[in-house]
Amino acid sequence: MTEKKSTTQDLEKVLKEIGDKIEELVKKGADAGSDAKEEIDKKIKDLKENKTSLEAEFKKGKEILEREFKERSDDFKPKLEESKGFLKEGLKQLGLAFKALFGKKKS
């Protein structure tokens, strides 16, 4: 789970950096001449559309990953509880075996 969070946090960081770069281009475009400004405006529009697409794909992937994790963890919970019961019973039996083995008094 930690690795998943790390990866999604990294992707969110990259998307934020892309947004920051777009804002930086917007500021530079405001200072540019008319020909350059048109070119920069077109690039900014393309970048914003791509960023929006990336964010949508990221969100969709994140939802799928979270749903898959929840489904898998729901599948494993009963098995984990059953295993925990077996472990407790095994430890109990081991304790009884030690009592029987070392608890005998010599006559």
Side-chain angles (χ1 to χ4, degrees):
M1 183 74 182
T2 303
E3 185 174 319
K4 182 188 96 163
K5 277 196 174 204
S6 175
T7 303
T8 56
Q9 287 172 343
D10 289 344
L11 288 172
E12 287 171 341
K13 183 180 175 184
V14 169
L15 288 171
K16 183 180 179 333
E17 288 174 3
I18 290 171
D20 293 344
K21 294 291 183 183
I22 290 171
E23 291 304 314
E24 187 178 321
L25 283 174
V26 168
K27 290 177 186 174
K28 286 182 180 180
D31 297 335
S34 64
D35 288 342
K37 184 173 170 93
E38 287 178 26
E39 183 68 26
I40 290 172
D41 286 343
K42 183 181 181 307
K43 293 281 185 192
I44 290 170
K45 181 181 176 203
D46 292 344
L47 287 171
K48 283 184 178 180
E49 288 173 3
N50 288 336
K51 181 179 181 270
T52 302
S53 297
L54 284 172
E55 288 171 335
E57 288 297 318
F58 173 72
K59 182 179 178 186
K60 189 186 329 179
K62 187 176 175 182
E63 288 170 357
I64 289 169
L65 188 61
E66 287 172 349
R67 185 175 57 243
E68 179 109 2
F69 178 78
K70 184 181 180 328
E71 288 173 2
R72 297 243 173 142
S73 66
D74 288 346
D75 289 344
F76 285 118
K77 281 181 184 178
K79 294 174 185 171
L80 191 60
E81 289 299 317
E82 182 181 10
S83 296
K84 193 164 87 173
F86 289 145
L87 179 63
K88 284 182 180 179
E89 184 61 30
L91 290 173
K92 180 180 171 185
Q93 292 300 322
L94 188 60
L96 292 174
F98 277 119
K99 275 186 182 178
L101 185 63
F102 296 113
K104 290 184 179 178
K105 294 184 182 181
K106 293 185 180 181
S107 305

